[in-house]
Amino acid sequence: MSAAGIAVLLLSFAFDQWRDYREELAQAERSVRTSATLLAEHTARSFEAAESALKAVARVHDDADRHTYSDATIHRLLKAIHGGSPVLRSIGWVNADGDRLMSSLFADPPPLNVADQEQFLALRDGDGRPGRLYVAAPVRSRLLDGWILSVSLRLDKPDGRFDGIAGGVVDPEYFARVFRGIEFGQHDVVTLFRGDGTILVREPMDEMLLGTSLAGRPFMTEIVPSAPAGAFHAYGLSDQERRVIGYAVAPGSGMIVTVAARHDEILAIFWNGLAAGGTRMGLIVLALALGTWLLVRQTRRREQLAIELRFSEARFRDFAASSGDWFWETDAEHRFVWISDSIESATGVVASWHIGRSRVELAAPGQVTSEAWAAHLADLREHRPFRDFEYIRRGPTGDRWLRVSGVPVFRDDGGFMGFRGSGRDITELRRAEQRLHDAVESLPAGFLLFDADDRLVYTNGHRTDVMPELADQYRIGDTFEQILRRCVAAGAITDAVSDPDGWIARRVEQHLSAKGSTTVRFGGRVVEVVERPTSDGGIMVLRFDITALEQAREAAQAAHDAADEANRAKSEFLSSMSHELRTPLNAIIGFGQILKIDREKRLNPDQQQYCDHIVKSGGHLLSLVDEVLDLAGVEAGRLRLSLEPVGIAGVVREAVRTMQPVASGAAVHLHKLPAPADLAVRADAQRLRQVLLNLLSNAIKYNRPDGTVTVKVEEPGAGVVRISVTDTGAGISEENRKQLFVPFQRLGAEFTHVEGTGIGLALSKRLVEAMDGRIGVTSELGTGSTFWIEVPVSSVPNNADEGVIAHLASPLAAAGGYSVLYIEDNPLNVSLMAYLLETLPDVTMYAAPSGQIGLDLARAQKPEVIVLDLNLPEMDGFEVLERLRRDPETATIPVIALTASAMPNDVRRGMAAGFFRYLTKPLKFDEFLAGVDAALSRPAATHPDRPIEGRGTGIGR
């Protein structure tokens, strides 16, 4: 052969090798892309199954919240759901704080908080897609000593707020077993990525790569976005070997599966062929005939390889169509000729045991209906594809429920070769279905299930617990309305007696809406009916017998009504007692004050002291009345507080100023340490002052001569202000300190000369606690005591003197030159008022013993101020006030209420009615003059119906 011929032959050989090289690579790309597509489809179905299981968990969570299922019932339902999912290792849910509440593994799960884990943060903060499965990056579990995947769904409250997550644990080994079920090269790698590029599973495993992300690499930024499936060439992540990589995006879930094969393994046949071809070409140069024969042999071998690759590709495609946990092939006689090794891990029986046997031979007789077997055998005879055929296989490890799918396989000439398909062990699913059935039967309620056509398809044994005589009315296949009409016709439903058709129409409408719950009365029983839609368009109905609960509620309501009636009676008694005590006290204290004035200087020192005793004793009795009323109001829950920013410096300064004369009279030194001027607390100013005055009064009363009382304001931290009152008295023993705040407990002081009621500290404690504060005491015998209160710091800056009632002078009232109309039916009270007003220059008082006379005098005399008692004969003070307001001639005259009705409800009613001031008896002259002064100084345009409350008439606070 000439050199030109040899050159042509070598060029032809080189071209063939180049073409073979390209064909080998192209074939490898198709193979890895097809494998990736098959595994991606299987992955998508696996995560769909996990998502369905978690949605079932979410429904159990919602129903458990509404119907207060017991933990045992919830655990049984979770185990039932878990048993039906081969993908999940465990399921459960956590609350909005990340605390695990329920688990399929534990009836009483040990404490676990996942608030810092990826899936919880993503679903809580909105990064996860609402209503869709969220797959977290793999983590290594110390408890399980292995890697796990967490899948989760967001749980929401009815108003849409975050309520926790329903979660499950996926064993990555599940996917690894599936990946190993398909035959690959020795060094091929299968990787499962999350949609953001995070590596979830890798087979063979490389722990260094699990959880890492390729988010910024060209694979995620360029290759995957270009097509849902494909192939490319790159270096391996761990071994840096040149590889051809096939990828596919799992439909629906966004997961990515890659299958990577090494170049040297893919091209092994090519390189071997190239070496052989080179040898052959050498031989061709020596002997053309031998070279020709070798070339023909090489061509035939390549064609055979192409046939084998097409056969493998078809087999992988068939595997994807059948979608199971292991793969199998049968011959034309339907006997197994090949089964993947993964069947052993699924069923416990090795693959070789099945070879040569048919499905009919392996099936347990009598467990599958004859119709189902006949349909399956017809599919086999007619060479039709079949899907999800279920039967029991008898084997060395016992009976197992299997679900198989398959497709027929034909030769190129059309001849039938057998079936290929996949299988799945569903024994645990069947057991889970039985457990779910048992769980439904164990529910403490009637359970009914209606299909999309509203026909009854299932009911548990509790459906007739309420009325057993209705058992025949619940017939499978009947609609809800048919069942309802039969029950109404039987007279079983009390609510439908008056209007059967109208009630049925409303009840059917409620049923079809499947929202919330309703109450139905069956004879003497009360039943709560809860209805919810199912995923397939049906309706689930739960019926609870709440007769005992309803009876208990009615009994509780009756008890509540009785308690309200008792409180009303108590309030009426206290109001009556207060009124009856204040009326004579008004005369005692009032005339005592008149005697003390002693305008004509007729009283000697002893008589002046007697007058002091009268006024002081009357004030003490009045203080006792007020404290009893306050304490009763607190205990009855009628105390109303106005919590607002109050300047603490002003309150303390005013209390010290008020108690300074008392301290001086007792030879006690009263000191106030400086307090921050801008410090404010959140409290009721009047009640805070009342508590502080009580503490100061006790510190002075129980002190020693020449002793000291110190008031201190400080901020100990934690957002509170502490006011402490320290005395130098005898101190309090630890045993007595335990009884300090008990009402009417004076700890032996009742046998001394020190006056008191034993109510002050008990009332102070309740008032401080009502203002969200605390009160306490430290004491040392022989040294003294420190009583302290703590109240919250105000978040709003406040003027230091805010809330302090200033004792302003009354220049206008004291100057005289005005007239007062006093409408009062008690002559003693009229005499008292007349005598007091006589002490002022040029003040004219008109007295009216009834409301009608008072109206007439008001129109005739037009006084500057009207003082009005509320408890008048024939016409009470409220009606008199209303008539004064309606009359244009008297509408602008300020009216001051002066009454013995001092209950809080009385004061609120009076202020709402429009009194200018509301003063309670006994009369305190300086406060009365302050009210008159305010009335005289008000602008002429000010309407009198804008009241100013003034409950302060000798009330000892």
Side-chain angles (χ1 to χ4, degrees):
M1 179 178 291
S2 65
I6 294 175
V8 171
L9 186 61
L10 290 175
L11 288 174
S12 175
F13 174 75
F15 176 77
D16 287 342
Q17 294 305 312
W18 176 80
R19 184 181 61 188
D20 291 346
Y21 177 85
R22 299 298 302 170
E23 179 61 25
E24 289 286 349
L25 290 180
Q27 182 60 40
E29 290 175 356
R30 289 193 296 272
S31 179
V32 294
R33 181 174 62 248
T34 301
S35 299
T37 302
L38 296 177
L39 294 176
E41 292 175 355
H42 181 273
T43 299
R45 282 188 287 273
S46 297
F47 280 110
E48 287 173 1
E51 183 175 359
S52 298
L54 292 188
K55 287 183 177 178
V57 173
R59 289 193 294 272
V60 171
H61 167 270
D62 294 342
D63 290 342
D65 283 348
R66 283 186 291 267
H67 308 303
T68 60
Y69 289 165
S70 68
D71 290 348
T73 298
I74 296 173
H75 180 61
R76 288 197 301 271
L77 293 174
L78 291 181
K79 287 185 65 178
I81 296 170
H82 176 217
S85 175
V87 181
L88 296 172
R89 194 165 187 171
S90 67
I91 56 176
W93 70 71
V94 302
N95 63 18
D97 294 326
D99 295 320
R100 178 172 64 184
L101 300 183
M102 289 295 163
S103 171
S104 63
L105 297 181
F106 309 96
D108 183 15
L112 176 65
N113 187 277
V114 298
D116 60 344
Q117 294 186 11
E118 174 191 350
Q119 66 274 19
F120 183 87
L121 296 173
L123 291 174
R124 184 195 67 185
D125 299 333
D127 294 334
R129 292 176 293 175
R132 296 299 303 276
L133 191 71
Y134 185 87
V135 183
V139 295
R140 186 167 185 84
S141 170
R142 293 192 299 272
L143 178 63
L144 302 177
D145 192 26
W147 289 85
I148 61 171
L149 293 176
S150 296
V151 293
S152 309
L153 283 178
R154 176 184 171 106
L155 298 176
D156 286 329
K157 294 180 180 292
D159 59 2
R161 292 184 293 114
F162 178 66
D163 198 24
I165 63 173
V169 174
V170 176
D171 187 353
E173 182 60 24
Y174 168 82
F175 291 98
R177 289 195 300 268
V178 174
F179 295 165
R180 291 194 296 268
I182 298 179
E183 298 175 357
F184 295 109
Q186 181 180 359
H187 297 95
D188 288 0
V189 177
V190 183
T191 308
L192 174 62
F193 294 85
R194 199 166 61 184
D196 61 357
T198 301
I199 296 177
L200 302 179
V201 180
R202 191 176 187 272
E203 175 60 27
M205 178 180 286
D206 186 343
E207 294 190 0
M208 297 296 294
L209 293 178
L210 288 181
T212 60
S213 175
L214 305 185
R217 300 196 181 184
F219 171 63
M220 293 300 299
T221 60
E222 300 175 8
I223 296 175
V224 173
S226 65
F232 61 99
H233 298 262
Y235 289 98
L237 293 175
S238 57
D239 57 11
Q240 295 300 309
E241 292 286 342
R242 184 70 174 170
R243 293 178 179 270
V244 57
I245 304 172
Y247 74 93
V249 179
S253 67
M255 302 291 178
I256 305 167
V257 178
T258 64
V259 177
R262 279 174 41 168
H263 270 210
D264 55 353
E265 292 181 351
I266 294 171
L267 299 176
I269 295 176
F270 170 76
W271 294 120
N272 291 336
L274 180 60
T279 301
R280 287 195 298 271
M281 284 303 298
L283 294 175
I284 288 174
V285 174
L286 300 174
L288 182 61
L290 181 60
T292 303
W293 179 79
L294 290 174
L295 183 60
V296 171
R297 183 167 175 253
Q298 178 189 0
T299 302
R300 289 179 177 175
R301 183 178 181 184
R302 185 167 60 249
E303 291 175 351
Q304 181 62 33
L305 289 174
I307 292 173
E308 291 177 0
L309 288 174
R310 287 196 297 272
F311 181 83
S312 178
E313 183 178 350
R315 184 167 63 186
F316 288 150
R317 188 180 298 109
D318 295 340
F319 288 163
S322 59
S323 179
D325 285 340
W326 67 80
F327 306 101
W328 53 264
E329 291 183 46
T330 62
D331 58 16
E333 301 300 324
H334 308 302
R335 297 185 181 278
F336 291 107
V337 296
W338 177 83
I339 296 182
S340 64
D341 292 337
S342 54
I343 192 174
E344 182 178 1
S345 61
T347 68
V349 180
V350 297
S352 60
W353 183 84
H354 300 79
I355 304 303
R357 305 184 185 189
S358 68
R359 190 172 295 113
V360 176
E361 295 173 2
L362 298 177
Q367 299 296 326
V368 180
T369 63
S370 58
E371 293 82 2
W373 263 117
H376 179 61
L377 294 177
D379 289 336
L380 298 181
R381 282 195 309 271
E382 300 298 328
H383 305 159
R384 293 192 297 256
F386 61 90
R387 186 173 181 85
D388 296 337
F389 174 67
E390 298 178 0
Y391 71 102
I392 291 183
R393 185 214 63 190
R394 287 189 170 175
T397 59
D399 293 351
R400 306 290 296 182
W401 273 98
L402 305 182
R403 177 186 292 159
V404 293
S405 301
V407 293
V409 180
F410 301 93
R411 292 190 298 272
D412 290 342
D413 60 1
F416 175 66
M417 296 176 60
F419 277 87
R420 292 183 188 141
S422 64
R424 173 174 292 180
D425 188 319
I426 61 169
T427 305
E428 292 302 322
L429 176 61
R430 287 286 188 154
R431 292 172 181 171
E433 290 175 350
Q434 183 60 42
R435 288 195 295 268
L436 180 59
H437 175 270
D438 295 341
V440 171
E441 287 295 325
S442 67
L443 287 174
F447 178 89
L448 299 93
L449 183 63
F450 293 85
D451 61 15
D453 296 326
D454 204 26
R455 295 187 179 277
L456 183 64
V457 295
Y458 179 80
T459 178
N460 71 352
H462 295 285
R463 69 185 186 279
T464 58
D465 284 356
V466 177
M467 294 188 72
E469 58 270 23
L470 298 179
D472 294 338
Q473 308 300 336
Y474 299 91
R475 303 169 189 168
I476 300 298
D478 284 355
T479 65
F480 175 80
E481 184 174 353
Q482 290 173 332
I483 296 172
L484 195 64
R485 288 191 178 277
R486 284 199 296 268
C487 292
V488 171
I493 301 179
T494 308
D495 298 336
V497 172
S498 60
D499 182 14
D501 291 335
W503 186 87
I504 290 174
R506 291 190 298 273
R507 183 67 190 89
V508 170
E509 182 180 359
Q510 290 175 341
H511 169 77
L512 294 177
S513 66
K515 296 179 181 178
S517 62
T518 187
T519 301
V520 180
R521 298 183 182 273
F522 288 82
R525 312 297 295 176
V526 182
V527 178
E528 181 182 12
V529 182
V530 179
E531 292 160 315
R532 293 290 184 275
T534 61
S535 58
D536 59 356
I539 297 175
M540 179 273 293
V541 180
L542 285 172
R543 304 196 315 171
F544 299 89
D545 187 344
I546 60 170
T547 305
L549 182 63
E550 187 69 12
Q551 292 171 346
R553 188 194 66 77
E554 292 175 355
Q557 183 61 45
H560 181 270
D561 294 342
D564 286 346
E565 182 60 31
N567 281 334
R568 283 193 294 272
K570 180 179 179 181
S571 297
E572 291 174 0
F573 168 75
L574 291 174
S575 177
S576 175
M577 182 192 75
S578 172
H579 186 276
E580 294 303 320
L581 288 175
R582 288 174 185 276
T583 299
L585 281 175
N586 186 53
I588 294 172
I589 296 176
F591 284 108
Q593 290 175 333
I594 291 173
L595 290 174
K596 284 183 62 177
I597 294 174
D598 191 18
R599 287 184 298 176
E600 299 181 4
K601 308 299 180 182
R602 295 180 179 179
L603 300 180
N604 60 38
D606 289 339
Q607 291 170 331
Q608 282 283 356
Q609 186 176 7
Y610 299 155
C611 293
D612 288 340
H613 287 321
I614 293 172
V615 174
K616 185 176 180 181
S617 298
H620 178 67
L621 181 58
L622 180 62
S623 175
L624 176 62
V625 171
D626 283 338
E627 288 181 346
V628 169
L629 293 179
D630 280 342
L631 185 62
V634 172
E635 292 179 344
R638 295 191 302 269
L639 178 67
R640 293 182 180 269
L641 299 176
S642 176
L643 299 180
E644 57 187 358
V646 177
I648 196 65
V651 173
V652 172
R653 183 170 58 252
E654 179 64 22
V656 170
R657 181 187 302 160
T658 301
M659 297 304 298
Q660 193 67 59
V662 180
S664 298
V668 173
H669 304 286
L670 178 57
H671 303 292
K672 175 180 68 69
L673 298 181
D678 58 349
L679 186 61
V681 296
R682 185 174 181 271
D684 184 298
Q686 179 182 354
R687 297 302 185 179
L688 181 61
R689 185 167 49 257
Q690 178 180 349
V691 171
L692 189 54
L693 288 174
N694 181 271
L695 296 183
L696 288 172
S697 175
N698 287 345
I700 294 170
K701 287 192 299 184
Y702 297 104
N703 215 317
R704 58 179 172 79
D706 202 31
T708 61
V709 174
T710 304
V711 183
K712 182 180 179 181
V713 178
E714 56 187 340
E715 289 185 84
V720 298
V721 172
R722 171 175 285 199
I723 307 172
S724 57
V725 177
T726 302
D727 63 55
T728 57
I732 306 169
S733 68
E734 182 176 355
E735 181 179 355
N736 283 342
R737 286 202 294 271
K738 299 176 182 179
Q739 306 179 61
L740 267 179
F741 300 102
V742 178
F744 304 105
Q745 178 58 262
R746 297 197 62 201
L747 307 180
E750 62 270 25
F751 303 113
T752 69
H753 68 283
V754 179
E755 295 179 346
T757 63
I759 300 177
L761 284 178
L763 177 60
S764 296
K765 183 176 187 296
R766 287 161 172 77
L767 291 176
V768 171
E769 291 174 349
M771 293 184 288
D772 299 324
R774 298 191 307 148
I775 186 170
V777 61
T778 58
S779 184
E780 184 177 349
L781 288 175
T783 301
S785 305
T786 296
F787 283 82
W788 54 264
I789 60 174
E790 289 182 351
V791 285
V793 173
S794 173
S795 59
V796 179
N798 196 36
N799 186 283
D801 290 327
E802 184 175 349
V804 179
I805 298 177
H807 292 277
L808 302 177
S810 307
L812 295 178
Y818 55 88
S819 60
V820 175
L821 170 60
Y822 187 26
I823 306 176
E824 167 67 75
D825 62 326
N826 189 317
L828 284 176
N829 293 338
V830 174
S831 299
L832 173 62
M833 181 66 71
Y835 192 88
L836 290 175
L837 292 178
E838 285 177 2
T839 62
L840 303 176
D842 195 21
V843 174
T844 302
M845 188 190 93
Y846 305 102
S850 68
Q852 186 58 55
I853 296 174
L855 292 173
D856 295 338
L857 283 175
R859 282 191 295 269
Q861 303 298 334
K862 295 184 177 55
E864 279 78 9
V865 179
I866 297 176
V867 181
L868 176 61
D869 182 32
L870 299 184
N871 297 292
L872 298 171
E874 300 178 1
M875 182 189 308
D876 65 19
F878 290 102
E879 185 175 350
V880 173
L881 176 66
E882 182 181 356
R883 294 192 181 188
L884 289 170
R885 292 289 174 261
R886 288 203 306 262
D887 191 336
E889 296 186 17
T890 60
T892 60
I893 302 176
V895 181
I896 297 175
L898 180 59
T899 175
S901 299
M903 295 296 288
N905 288 335
D906 299 328
V907 177
R908 284 192 293 273
R909 182 188 175 193
M911 299 304 294
F915 283 104
F916 182 76
R917 288 285 175 90
Y918 192 97
L919 305 179
T920 56
K921 298 175 183 177
L923 174 65
K924 191 172 183 181
F925 196 39
D926 57 348
E927 292 185 358
F928 171 73
L929 290 182
V932 173
D933 192 270
L936 296 175
S937 61
R938 58 194 288 274
T942 302
H943 198 276
D945 61 359
R946 301 182 65 176
I948 301 174
E949 183 177 357
R951 185 192 177 195
T953 54
I955 299 177
R957 291 281 183 245

